[in-house]
């Protein structure tokens, strides 16, 4: 066999394919549908063992208790519109636990909202204008488990033991004021974004000058809260109410949002009935390489946190106002905006898939509004991008005039995903059911999430607490 020429090898392959077609030997895709439940369990057991999966992501730091004084202070700050430049917008305006740690919008509506207390699909701008925020709000759920990067474009990045880079310093320099964790570094930036929280507040000032001004704003009513949160009963406002401290407290609250008790975790821990047969087939497809006939999803969505923390061009359709990139001036170059490297154009961070069922819309710009749609895209990205139908968008006033041109530019930049081989009609359903099995039931229950949402009768230092409501029913979230 060693002396067979390339020509003969090709001939043998063709003959083999003809024989397969004649005698009806099932393909790998067909085999997936005919496996017994016991066979799937056996294969998944091998995958779990080989990849050392435990169902429990690990953190570089201890996970805070939501009932700790600092996390409680962080929650009050997270929901306080006092940190919005025009006193109308809180962190929770775009990241509410009842909306999957996001806002249920493709593109967030930050400042200048018609009703600052309305969240979700009915949140709109005062005027009939296009959405200003160019990207989808990432979930705050399980942010404690990110080890290296934050944000879609990874503009917060930890470099080994050197420290954390932020946009306040040239890439890849370390920001001495980044804070102790990636989450604290991240918490320092939504307040500096004009479209998200800053509005026109001190818009000619450096970010750090503005943060210090917000800390000064808190001094009037928040000293007792900071004394309790930092366990410093005699501390002065000057010592306690600093931008470093309020971002640290917010990070403590965000990092307490750990929701990992999913059916998949229960399955790994030995409960073989925790997953449906469809979800098990989806898990097998998800964790099997393309080479072996699977979808190869776990190549990027790897480990117990379901991300490799790297960035890729996945040919996501480009909607919205963008970030002044490309020939149209309305494109979004992603990681390239940080690194300035040509190869980083249109790369965006691999998201974690924990609780992905409730964290939509999906994509860096929220372009897909169903889990099935984003799954189909990832299985055949270029085909899906070219055929994208914007009518699926549930949000009004999203710029679409450059959708085709901007998306084509992203495709031309070089897509890092290949279409998945041998996908049949049941595979998308099974993959979706598996991803739904990554959901902690707590994130669907108001009673369970209540610990992370201020009560109406909680102490409100300056009357600025956001109590979010559903714009259609008027009921509290």
């Amino acid at each position: 066999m060693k002396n067979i020429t390339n020509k003969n090898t090709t001939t043998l392959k063709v003959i083999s394919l003809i024989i397969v077609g004649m005698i009806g030997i099932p393909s790998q895709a067909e085999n997936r549908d005919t496996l017994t439940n016991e066979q799937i369990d056996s294969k998944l057991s091998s995958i779990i063992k080989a990849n050392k999966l435990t169902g429990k992501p690990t953190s570089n730091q201890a996970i805070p208790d939501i009932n700790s004084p600092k996390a409680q202070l962080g929650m009050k700050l997270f929901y306080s519109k006092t940190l919005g430049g025009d006193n109308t917008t809180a962190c929770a305006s775009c990241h509410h636990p009842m909306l999957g740690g996001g806002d249920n919008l493709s593109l967030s509506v930050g400042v200048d909202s018609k009703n600052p207390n309305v969240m979700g699909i009915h949140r709109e701008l005062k005027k009939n204008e296009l959405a200003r925020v160019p990207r989808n709000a990432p979930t705050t759920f399980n942010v404690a488990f990110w080890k290296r990067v934050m944000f879609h474009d990874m503009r917060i990045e930890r470099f080994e033991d050197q420290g954390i880079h932020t946009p306040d310093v040239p890439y890849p320099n370390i920001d001495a004021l980044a804070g102790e964790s990636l989450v604290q570094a991240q918490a320092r930036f939504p307040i500096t974004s004009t479209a998200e929280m800053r509005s026109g507040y001190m818009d000619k000032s450096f970010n750090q000058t503005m943060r210090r001004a917000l800390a000064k704003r808190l001094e009037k009513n928040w000293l007792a809260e900071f004394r309790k949160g930092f366990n410093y009963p005699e501390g002065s406002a000057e010592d306690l109410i600093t931008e470093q401290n309020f971002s640290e407290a917010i990070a403590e609250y965000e990092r307490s949002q750990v929701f990992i008790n999913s059916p998949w975790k229960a399955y790994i821990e030995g409960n073989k009935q925790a997953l449906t047969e469809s979800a098990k087939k989806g898990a097998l497809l998800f964790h099997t390489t393309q080479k072996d006939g699977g979808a190869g999803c776990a190549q990027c969505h790897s480990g117990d946190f379901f991300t490799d923390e790297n960035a890729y061009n996945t040919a996501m359709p480009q909607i919205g106002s963008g970030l002044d990139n490309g020939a149209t001036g309305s494109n979004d170059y992603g990681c390239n905006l940080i690194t300035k490297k040509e190869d980083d154009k249109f790369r965006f961070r691999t998201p974690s898939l924990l609780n992905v069922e409730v964290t939509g819309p999906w994509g860096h710009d929220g372009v897909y509004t169903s889990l099935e749609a984003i799954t189909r895209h990832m299985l055949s990205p270029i085909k899906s991008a070219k055929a994208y139908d914007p009518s699926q968008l549930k949000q009004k006033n999203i710029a679409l005039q450059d959708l085709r041109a901007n998306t084509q530019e992203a495709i031309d930049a070089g897509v890092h995903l290949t279409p998945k081989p041998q996908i049949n009609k049941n595979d998308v359903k099974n993959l979706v059911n598996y991803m739904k099995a990554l959901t902690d039931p707590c994130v669907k229950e108001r009673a369970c999430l209540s610990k992370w949402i201020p009560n109406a009768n909680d102490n409100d230092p300056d009357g600025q607490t956001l109590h979010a409501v559903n714009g259609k029913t008027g009921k509290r979230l």
Side-chain angles (χ1 to χ4, degrees):
M1 295 295 290
K2 292 181 180 179
N3 295 322
I4 291 180
T5 64
N6 290 337
K7 181 178 180 180
N8 289 337
T9 301
T10 302
T11 302
L12 286 173
K13 287 181 179 178
V14 172
I15 293 172
S16 297
L17 290 171
I18 293 173
I19 293 174
V20 167
M22 291 172 61
I23 65 177
I25 295 176
S27 69
Q28 288 173 307
E30 290 170 331
N31 279 335
R32 283 197 298 273
D33 287 335
T34 58
L35 288 173
T36 67
N37 199 42
E38 291 74 17
Q39 288 172 322
I40 296 174
D41 284 336
S42 177
K43 289 179 178 292
L44 286 177
S45 178
S46 297
I47 287 171
I48 290 166
K49 184 177 180 180
N51 291 283
K52 300 179 180 179
L53 299 177
T54 67
K56 303 174 185 176
T58 58
S59 175
N60 289 330
Q61 298 179 322
I63 302 297
D65 182 342
I66 181 55
N67 295 311
S68 70
K70 191 181 293 185
Q72 286 292 300
L73 168 62
M75 179 168 68
K76 290 184 177 182
L77 289 164
F78 191 85
Y79 283 83
S80 177
K81 290 178 278 189
T82 300
L83 289 181
D86 59 359
N87 287 287
T88 67
T89 312
C91 303
S93 298
C94 296
H95 302 281
H96 197 284
M98 286 300 295
L99 297 175
D103 56 14
N104 202 29
L105 295 170
S106 290
L107 302 176
S108 294
V109 173
V111 301
D112 294 331
S113 59
K114 186 179 294 184
N115 183 337
N117 292 325
V118 167
M119 281 200 64
I121 197 62
H122 298 287
R123 185 175 175 84
E124 299 176 350
L125 288 165
K126 288 179 183 176
K127 300 176 182 178
N128 186 26
E129 54 186 322
L130 295 173
R132 302 175 194 167
V133 179
R135 294 176 183 162
N136 177 259
T139 179
T140 52
F141 290 170
N142 296 318
V143 290
F145 299 118
W146 290 100
K147 292 182 172 65
R148 193 169 62 85
V149 294
M150 297 289 288
F151 288 117
H152 290 298
D153 57 12
M154 311 204 305
R155 60 187 180 272
I156 303 291
E157 182 172 1
R158 182 184 292 280
F159 288 96
E160 299 294 339
D161 297 327
Q162 301 173 45
I164 299 172
H165 164 76
T166 80
D168 278 354
V169 297
Y171 184 85
N173 294 351
I174 301 304
D175 184 351
L177 297 176
E180 294 299 315
S181 70
L182 286 173
V183 183
Q184 181 179 357
Q186 169 271 323
R188 298 170 67 244
F189 283 90
I191 57 175
T192 68
S193 167
T194 301
E196 292 176 34
M197 292 181 70
R198 185 172 189 159
S199 189
Y201 180 64
M202 300 185 70
D203 58 355
K204 303 298 183 182
S205 303
F206 290 116
N207 285 347
Q208 190 61 12
T209 304
M210 191 218 71
R211 294 186 190 107
R212 288 170 180 157
L214 286 178
K216 197 72 177 175
R217 182 190 283 183
L218 292 170
E219 286 186 8
K220 182 178 179 181
N221 300 296
W222 285 77
L223 181 56
E225 299 293 336
F226 275 78
R227 282 174 170 172
K228 183 178 179 181
F230 284 90
N231 192 26
Y232 195 172
E234 305 301 323
S236 67
E238 183 180 5
D239 288 336
L240 285 175
I241 305 181
T242 66
E243 76 90 4
Q244 287 287 301
N245 279 356
F246 76 65
S247 61
E248 180 183 335
I250 289 172
E252 197 84 349
Y253 165 71
E254 289 186 22
R255 293 194 307 110
S256 76
Q257 295 182 2
V258 172
F259 305 107
I260 62 173
N261 291 318
S262 66
W264 172 242
K265 178 174 176 286
Y267 181 85
I268 290 177
E269 293 174 340
N271 181 2
K272 299 306 178 186
Q273 281 68 54
L275 299 184
T276 65
E277 184 176 347
S278 175
K280 289 180 183 181
K281 288 180 178 180
L284 186 59
L285 181 62
F286 186 100
H287 290 280
T288 300
T289 64
Q290 289 189 47
K291 179 182 177 183
D292 294 325
C297 309
Q299 181 176 341
C300 300
H301 295 285
S302 55
D304 289 307
F305 194 36
F306 288 85
T307 175
D308 59 4
E309 297 199 45
N310 288 322
Y312 304 95
N313 179 352
T314 60
M316 207 58 62
Q318 298 287 101
I319 63 171
S321 57
L323 285 163
D324 301 323
N325 299 146
T328 62
S330 61
N331 222 335
D332 183 348
Y333 281 172
C335 292
N336 166 268
L337 298 174
I338 310 305
T339 68
K340 309 305 179 185
K341 296 178 181 178
E342 186 71 16
D343 187 52
D344 281 342
K345 283 184 178 179
F346 301 104
R347 286 182 184 257
F348 295 92
R349 180 185 70 169
T350 304
S352 167
L353 297 184
L354 295 182
N355 303 301
V356 66
E357 178 185 3
V358 301
T359 61
W362 298 269
H364 72 273
D365 51 359
V367 74
Y368 288 107
T369 56
S370 75
L371 198 52
E372 179 181 347
I374 185 66
T375 301
R376 289 188 180 278
H377 175 92
M378 299 305 284
L379 293 171
S380 187
I382 294 177
K383 179 181 177 181
S384 179
K386 288 183 175 181
Y388 177 73
D389 181 4
S391 67
Q392 69 184 271
L393 295 170
K394 300 174 183 178
Q395 184 178 351
K396 301 176 183 177
N397 298 346
I398 292 179
L400 297 172
Q401 69 274 12
D402 298 323
L403 164 64
R404 302 302 172 193
N406 288 347
T407 301
Q408 188 61 51
E409 186 181 5
I411 293 171
D412 293 342
V415 178
H416 298 120
L417 297 181
T418 56
K420 305 300 186 288
Q422 300 173 320
I423 296 297
N424 66 30
K425 63 182 180 181
N426 292 319
D427 287 334
V428 172
K429 178 189 73 174
N430 294 338
L431 280 169
V432 168
N433 285 336
Y434 171 57
M435 285 187 283
K436 287 182 177 180
L438 305 179
T439 303
D440 184 329
C442 180
V443 303
K444 293 183 172 182
E445 300 174 9
R446 179 59 166 80
C448 188
L449 290 174
S450 62
K451 291 187 290 185
W452 289 273
I453 304 171
N455 292 318
N457 58 355
D458 282 351
N459 180 42
D460 186 347
D462 51 14
Q464 283 281 77
T465 297
L466 169 70
H467 293 295
V469 299
N470 179 301
K472 184 176 182 180
T473 65
K475 294 181 178 180
R476 281 196 62 197
L477 295 181

